[in-house]
Amino acid sequence: MAGDVGFDPLGLSEINGVGIDLYWLREAEIKHARVAMLAAVGNVWVELFGPAPGCEAATAKNQMDSFWQLWGSHPQYPTAAFIMIMFIEAISGIATTSGRESGMREPGDFGFNPFKLADDSGKMKLYKEQEIANGRLAMWAAAGQIMQGMTTDEGAVGNLFTTLANSS
């Protein structure tokens, strides 16, 4: 299994009969890793370039402030996004359930391979290891970026430039 380094202090991989199995945990980790990688890049994008081209409702450079500006002026946009996420989760839940029951689908594999990168099994193993390692790092990075945005009224990039200016 990609990313298995033997670290399981809570024994989550040994739980049987309580509704949690390793397939579900693996699927959740891969999904959260992929979302966190997008979130980390998205947070930096908001800080450097603004929330979205043509979006006058959210003008703050801080990702949390721009979200609340958008929520305050047009709550239907974040609500529509949450509803879309709900549908995506339902569809991926069906894929996860059917894959777990049939054993024909690895966790996180949706058959999307437009550039045929997964044809070589050696490269695919390396890609899986890299994806989960970078995803685990991105989960911490995105959490740190959000925390900085909520506590300092400046985002991660702003805090970096402030620290560099203060230390020189």
Side-chain angles (χ1 to χ4, degrees), residues 11-84:
L12 294 176
S13 63
E14 305 297 326
I15 295 175
N16 292 323
V18 293
I20 301 175
D21 65 4
L22 198 54
Y23 188 93
W24 278 99
L25 294 174
R26 193 70 176 147
E27 184 81 31
E29 182 181 31
I30 291 170
K31 183 186 300 183
H32 285 91
R34 290 172 178 170
V35 169
M37 286 187 274
L38 291 171
V41 171
N43 285 336
V44 172
W45 177 273
V46 168
E47 292 178 41
L48 294 178
F49 304 111
C55 180
E56 293 82 22
T59 57
K61 288 286 188 176
N62 178 339
Q63 69 275 13
M64 295 307 298
D65 290 342
S66 64
F67 172 81
W68 289 115
Q69 283 178 341
L70 187 62
W71 182 266
S73 62
H74 298 289
Q76 68 271 21
Y77 298 144
T79 303
F82 293 141
I83 291 170
M84 184 179 73

Side-chain angles (χ1 to χ4, degrees), residues 1-160:
M1 177 176 8
D4 183 13
V5 293
F7 182 74
D8 188 14
L10 300 177
L12 294 176
S13 63
E14 305 297 326
I15 295 175
N16 292 323
V18 293
I20 301 175
D21 65 4
L22 198 54
Y23 188 93
W24 278 99
L25 294 174
R26 193 70 176 147
E27 184 81 31
E29 182 181 31
I30 291 170
K31 183 186 300 183
H32 285 91
R34 290 172 178 170
V35 169
M37 286 187 274
L38 291 171
V41 171
N43 285 336
V44 172
W45 177 273
V46 168
E47 292 178 41
L48 294 178
F49 304 111
C55 180
E56 293 82 22
T59 57
K61 288 286 188 176
N62 178 339
Q63 69 275 13
M64 295 307 298
D65 290 342
S66 64
F67 172 81
W68 289 115
Q69 283 178 341
L70 187 62
W71 182 266
S73 62
H74 298 289
Q76 68 271 21
Y77 298 144
T79 303
F82 293 141
I83 291 170
M84 184 179 73
I85 290 168
M86 210 170 54
F87 283 117
I88 292 170
E89 284 293 317
I91 292 167
S92 71
I94 293 167
T96 301
T97 303
S98 64
R100 183 181 64 162
E101 290 172 354
S102 70
M104 299 296 291
R105 178 184 169 272
E106 287 188 44
D109 182 16
F110 289 96
F112 183 71
N113 187 17
F115 302 113
K116 306 293 182 216
L117 295 175
D119 289 346
D120 182 11
S121 64
K123 281 186 178 179
M124 188 61 185
K125 184 177 184 209
L126 176 67
Y127 291 152
K128 286 179 182 179
E129 292 285 341
Q130 290 174 343
E131 178 185 33
I132 201 65
N134 289 321
R136 288 172 179 167
L137 178 63
M139 285 187 257
W140 285 106
Q145 290 171 336
I146 291 170
M147 183 60 73
Q148 284 181 330
M150 292 183 341
T151 57
T152 65
D153 291 332
E154 227 180 350
V157 176
N159 280 326
L160 174 65

